[in-house]
Each structure stands twice: as C-alpha cells, then as structure tokens.
Amino acid sequence: MMKKFLAAVLISTMAFAFAQEGSSSKNKKKDQQSVESEKKAEKERRPVTIPSSKKPKEVDAAKAEKAALKDEGKDAVKEKTETLKYGIESEILDMIKKLNDNEDPRFSADLYELFYQTKSVPVRDKIIEYFTKQEDPCIEDYAVEILDDPYDTRNSTVDLLFKYVSAVKTKEAVPAVLNLIESEDEQYFNQALAALGEIGGTDEAGFLIELLDRDDLTVNQRQNLMKVLGKIKALSTLDRITEIAQDEEENSFVRMYAAQAIGEMKDPKSIEILVDLFEGTDPNFRQYVIKGISNYDTPEAKKVIIEGIRDAHWKVRIEAIESASKMKLEEAVEFIIYRAKNDPENVVKDKCYSVLGTFNSQKADDFLIEQIKNEKTADNAKLKSIEALLKQSKNGNGAIKDFALSIAADDKRKPIRYNVGKHLAKYPDPSFEEVCQKYLESKDAQTCALGLDMYASGRYESCEGKVKLIADDKKAGANSTKAKKILKIE
C-alpha cells in the first residue's frame, strides 16, 4: 500500500515538474516574441531629425507699431519686460495673454529666453501659444524632440506642439507624426493626423489612403483621415476618394468629408461627379457637396450654389450663401437679399447680412444701407448691416454716422448704442469724428468709455480736448484713468 502511495506521489511530482518546465518554456517563448516584436517596431520606426536651434525671427515693424498704439503709459514697454523677467506665474500668464491678444511681436526675444528658463508648465504652454500665433519657427527643435517621444510630457503641451508645427509648417516633424499615427498607443492619433494635414505631402497622402483600408480603425478615425486627405489635396488619391463618396453603404460622415475633399483637389473632371452627388437626399451630404463644388468657377458649379441657396434645409442654404460670398458670385446677390428678408430661419437671415458686404456690389450695399435708415427695421438687422458695411465697404459710412448720432443721447436704446460704439472703435474713419465727440460728451459712463475707445483707435483731432478734460476730471473715475493712459499721462 505504501509503495503504491509513494509511486503516486512520484508520478504527481514529475508531472508538476514537466508542467512547470512547459510553462516556463512558453513564457520564455512569449517574452522572446515580445522582444522581437519591439525590435521589429523599433527597426521600422522612421528616423527623426531634430532641426537646428534658431533665434526668434525679426520683429515685424508694422505689427510692432500697431501693438505700440495699445500701450498704456509711457513706461509700458519697460513694465512688460520687467513682468516677464521678474513676475510670478499668474502675472506672466496675464502678460503673455495680452501680448497674444494684441498680436504684439516686440517681446519675442524675452519670451524665447523665458521659455528655456522657466519650470512652469503653464508659462511654457502660453509661450508655445504665442510663437504659434506669431508663426515663429524658433522652438521647432524643442517641438520635434518632444513629438518624437511625447509620453513623458503633459498632454496639454503635446497638443499645443502639434498645433505649433502645423502653424510654422515644420517638415522635420513629419516622421515623428507618422510614427505616432502608426503607434499602437492611439492617444495622439487624431492630433497627429490633423498636424499631418498641414505639413504632409503626396507621399503622406499615399500612406493615409492605405491606412484608410485598415479594419481596426474606428469610424471617428476614418472621418479624421478623410478630412486630412482633403487638406493634403493629393490627386493620386482622387479615384479612391471618389469611390468612397459614391458608396452609399459607407459611413455618411466619411462620405461627406470625401465629397469636400474631391472639390478641394480642383480636378475639372470632378465637377460632374459633384453635380450628381448634390442630388442626394441627405442634407448634411449636400452641404458638404456645396463645400466641395465651391472650389470651381464654372457655370455648372455656380448653378449648384444658386440651387443650394434655395435648398429646403437651412444648413445647405447657409453653406451655399457662404460659398457664394467666397466665390464673389454676383448673380447670387438677389437670392441672398431675398433670403435676408424672407427666410424662416433667423440663423440664415443673420448669415445673409454678414456676407452681403463682401460682394463689392452696389445692389448689396444699397440693401444694407436701407436697413440702417429704415425706422421699421429691427435693431439686430441694423447692427448686422452696420457690421457688414464697416468690414468691407465705406459706402455706408454716411448712413452709419447719422444713425449713431441719432442714438448717442437716446437712453432707451443703450444696448444698440453700446454695440455701435464698439464697432466704430474697431473700424475708425474720419467720418465718425462727430460721433466720437457725442459719445465723449455723454453722461453715461459706458457710452463715454466707448467714446474713449473710438478716440484711441481714430485719434480724432477735434476730440483731444474733451479727452484731456475727462483725464483731469476726478469725478470721471475709471474713465479718467483710461483717458490718462490713452494720452500717456502719468
């Protein structure tokens, strides 16, 4: 009995040992495969070349002069420099925001030096935003180095660097971006794709069109891929993209972006394809067909745009109205005026007003001027007309001046008075000098403040005396301080 027991124990022990050895062998094999896989991935990884370091680009004199007009106080430049050099994080962030808002290029060297000194991530991120807006390639080396291995860097910073290399067109970033797109870690997939749309070329488009056929892509990834292919505009991908746009079994959003991409390639043979696609029943799809066909200045394309302005769906109408403006389609003006008067959707009416000033059309300007003069026109329509004319044309300045003077002292119409004042400060013109004077004379503090804004941007000679009086008036409070800053009085 004991012998049988010992034999059973021996067999069990041997079986366990064999199992352990087999398991260990499997684990070793698995580990070996993992290492080989990593080596293969490393081998296939595109090499990345870091750009040479460079100093900030030369300051744009015109932009610097424009920004200087917004300085408050005679020591403004010194104060800003000292804030960037000695300030705490919150002060520096506030200062960089102001520089960004004013598109002020005068402090690029200070910010470049601070960028490589600071340990504050928010400050560094804000400086990246600044150089992105300035389209200054001075930190390309930093950007490419991080994008080559972003995993130890905050996502907020990485996201900003994608936008930065897109803005400054950093070609050296392309291999790093492609590596991230192909990586099994998909956290940077969409940002990398968006960047590739700005810095990629024909070769990258070929890579993306093949990537589109992968089975493991999500619908969202396929949509973003198609958007990027449209931005790259590689004709080598046109046939494949056309197939996708015509495939009614394909995801509707992927088809929409495909239709837009076809148009952005501007191949004449695509016009007929887009004309046929516009007959689809999905209004979102028709909207994107309009986006695509607006790239062509042909009778067929223009006809589709006009049809779009009369489309049953408001989204299509808005897209067609915007496209008509982009194409400066004179024959669309009467259709847009009609929609401004009669469209059942306010959002479409608003769009009509905002684009009519872009046509350089006397017919369009006359309509907008009439809205300003007509007492029965709603204030919102008047304001939209004023904004449209100020942005694009001086034809309406006389009517705008008369209207502004008529409401300058009417306290029942403060809301539109304030809005008109903001627009006149943004678009200074000698014809608005009298309006500025009336606003400065107002007993309403906000109206007076808008008058100061008008003077600051227009520097109307006849108004300077009134601004000095406000600066000296202790009872004027914040407006006194504002007037002193505008006049650079300590």
Side-chain angles (χ1 to χ4, degrees):
M1 189 75 178
M2 180 60 71
K3 288 181 179 180
K4 289 183 179 179
F5 174 75
L6 291 172
V9 169
L10 180 62
I11 292 169
S12 177
T13 303
M14 291 175 67
F16 178 75
F18 281 127
Q20 286 291 91
E21 186 178 344
S23 175
S24 176
S25 175
K26 285 179 182 178
N27 286 336
K28 285 179 182 177
K29 189 175 181 182
K30 186 176 180 182
D31 290 342
Q32 187 178 357
Q33 287 175 342
S34 178
V35 170
E36 288 175 359
S37 178
E38 287 177 7
K39 285 182 178 178
K40 183 181 178 183
E42 187 65 30
K43 187 178 179 181
E44 292 177 352
R45 195 171 183 274
R46 294 167 176 79
V48 176
T49 303
I50 307 299
S52 57
S53 62
K54 51 180 74 73
K55 296 293 184 183
K57 65 183 182 181
E58 189 175 340
V59 173
D60 185 311
K63 285 185 176 180
E65 185 178 352
K66 187 177 179 181
L69 293 174
K70 298 176 182 178
D71 285 343
E72 297 180 347
K74 64 180 182 180
D75 293 327
V77 172
K78 181 183 176 183
E79 290 171 2
K80 289 173 183 175
T81 302
E82 289 181 346
T83 298
L84 294 176
K85 192 170 185 179
Y86 307 116
I88 61 175
E89 182 182 273
S90 59
E91 294 167 342
I92 294 172
L93 290 173
D94 184 58
M95 179 57 65
I96 300 174
K97 182 180 184 304
K98 288 178 181 176
L99 296 178
N100 255 334
D101 291 344
N102 294 335
E103 297 185 14
D104 191 339
R106 295 174 294 168
F107 302 90
S108 295
D110 301 285
L111 289 168
Y112 179 78
E113 185 178 348
L114 177 60
F115 182 79
Y116 287 104
Q117 288 178 349
T118 186
K119 300 299 180 185
S120 166
V121 173
V123 168
R124 194 181 297 122
D125 283 357
K126 210 70 181 173
I127 297 174
I128 294 171
E129 286 182 23
Y130 175 86
F131 285 127
T132 300
K133 194 164 187 178
Q134 293 291 326
E135 296 182 4
D136 192 326
C138 63
I139 58 170
E140 279 184 318
D141 53 332
Y142 171 85
V144 175
E145 187 173 355
I146 295 298
L147 292 179
D148 187 32
D149 184 13
Y151 302 102
D152 293 328
T153 305
R154 285 194 189 183
N155 287 339
S156 61
T157 303
V158 177
D159 189 44
L160 288 171
L161 290 174
F162 278 121
K163 293 173 184 175
Y164 172 76
V165 297
S166 299
V168 299
K169 309 299 181 190
T170 306
K171 291 293 183 183
E172 292 91 337
V174 168
V177 170
L178 287 171
N179 287 337
L180 291 172
I181 290 172
E182 288 188 306
S183 169
E184 291 184 6
D185 187 342
E186 297 181 352
Q187 65 174 314
Y188 302 119
F189 186 91
N190 288 332
Q191 299 103 305
L193 266 182
L196 196 62
E198 301 297 334
I199 61 178
T202 303
D203 290 343
E204 288 71 47
F207 161 77
L208 292 177
I209 205 72
E210 290 180 8
L211 190 64
L212 196 61
D213 292 328
R214 265 176 41 180
D215 294 332
D216 60 335
L217 292 182
T218 66
V219 172
N220 179 258
Q221 288 173 333
R222 285 173 58 77
Q223 291 169 9
N224 288 330
L225 260 172
M226 190 56 71
K227 284 183 189 177
V228 172
L229 283 165
K231 284 187 177 181
I232 295 178
K233 304 179 178 69
L235 283 173
S236 58
T237 63
L238 179 59
D239 290 342
R240 178 72 180 103
I241 292 175
T242 300
E243 287 177 18
I244 292 170
Q246 292 173 328
D247 182 2
E248 295 184 2
E249 299 299 317
E250 178 61 82
N251 173 266
S252 60
F253 284 94
V254 175
R255 288 187 71 212
M256 281 160 46
Y257 299 132
Q260 182 179 358
I262 291 169
E264 288 175 346
M265 293 182 195
K266 299 182 180 180
D267 188 316
K269 71 180 183 182
S270 297
I271 297 174
E272 187 177 344
I273 294 168
L274 290 170
V275 171
D276 290 341
L277 289 174
F278 187 68
E279 296 181 4
T281 57
D282 181 356
N284 292 316
F285 187 61
R286 293 201 303 277
Q287 178 189 0
Y288 276 76
V289 172
I290 291 284
K291 283 179 185 285
I293 209 164
S294 67
N295 291 286
Y296 300 92
D297 186 19
T298 68
E300 298 92 339
K302 292 176 181 179
K303 185 177 178 181
V304 170
I305 300 298
I306 296 296
E307 284 302 307
I309 296 174
R310 301 190 296 180
D311 195 89
H313 200 280
W314 64 271
K315 283 185 180 179
V316 183
R317 296 201 296 277
I318 283 185
E319 193 63 52
I321 290 164
E322 287 182 343
S323 296
S325 171
K326 181 180 85 171
M327 297 167 70
K328 295 294 185 286
L329 196 57
E330 179 69 27
E331 49 264 57
V333 169
E334 290 189 12
F335 289 88
I336 296 173
I337 289 174
Y338 184 87
R339 296 258 59 86
K341 293 177 180 177
N342 302 295
D343 203 277
E345 301 290 343
N346 286 331
V347 66
V348 177
K349 286 184 176 181
D350 288 348
K351 178 59 65 177
C352 290
Y353 280 107
S354 66
V355 306
L356 280 170
T358 67
F359 283 93
N360 193 26
S361 159
Q362 190 61 52
K363 192 175 293 183
D365 288 353
D366 287 346
F367 170 76
L368 295 171
I369 291 168
E370 178 57 31
Q371 304 315 297
I372 298 168
K373 290 180 175 181
N374 191 339
E375 293 182 2
K376 294 181 179 179
T377 303
D379 281 351
N380 181 58
K382 289 182 185 294
L383 195 61
K384 291 286 182 184
S385 299
I386 289 170
E387 186 177 7
L389 287 166
L390 286 173
K391 278 183 177 179
Q392 305 292 339
S393 167
K394 290 190 176 183
N395 289 344
N397 281 9
I400 294 169
K401 170 192 168 183
D402 292 342
F403 179 69
L405 289 173
S406 73
I407 60 173
D410 187 351
D411 287 343
K412 292 180 180 179
R413 305 189 74 181
K414 281 183 181 180
I416 191 167
R417 184 168 79 199
Y418 296 156
N419 280 310
V420 170
K422 289 175 186 176
H423 286 313
L424 297 190
K426 193 175 180 181
Y427 301 99
D429 188 85
S431 60
F432 302 137
E433 189 163 359
E434 187 181 351
V435 179
C436 178
Q437 184 75 37
K438 290 293 183 185
Y439 271 61
L440 290 170
E441 292 171 355
S442 176
K443 294 180 181 180
D444 177 63
Q446 191 168 343
T447 302
C448 181
L450 288 166
L452 290 171
D453 290 337
M454 286 185 222
Y455 174 77
S457 61
R459 298 288 168 173
Y460 304 119
E461 189 177 347
S462 67
C463 299
E464 186 174 348
K466 182 61 181 173
V467 176
K468 287 179 178 177
L469 289 174
I470 295 169
D472 294 336
D473 185 359
K474 294 180 181 179
K475 294 181 180 179
N479 280 340
S480 174
T481 304
K482 187 172 187 173
K484 286 176 182 176
K485 288 181 177 179
I486 290 169
L487 295 171
K488 298 186 178 179
I489 298 171
E490 287 298 319

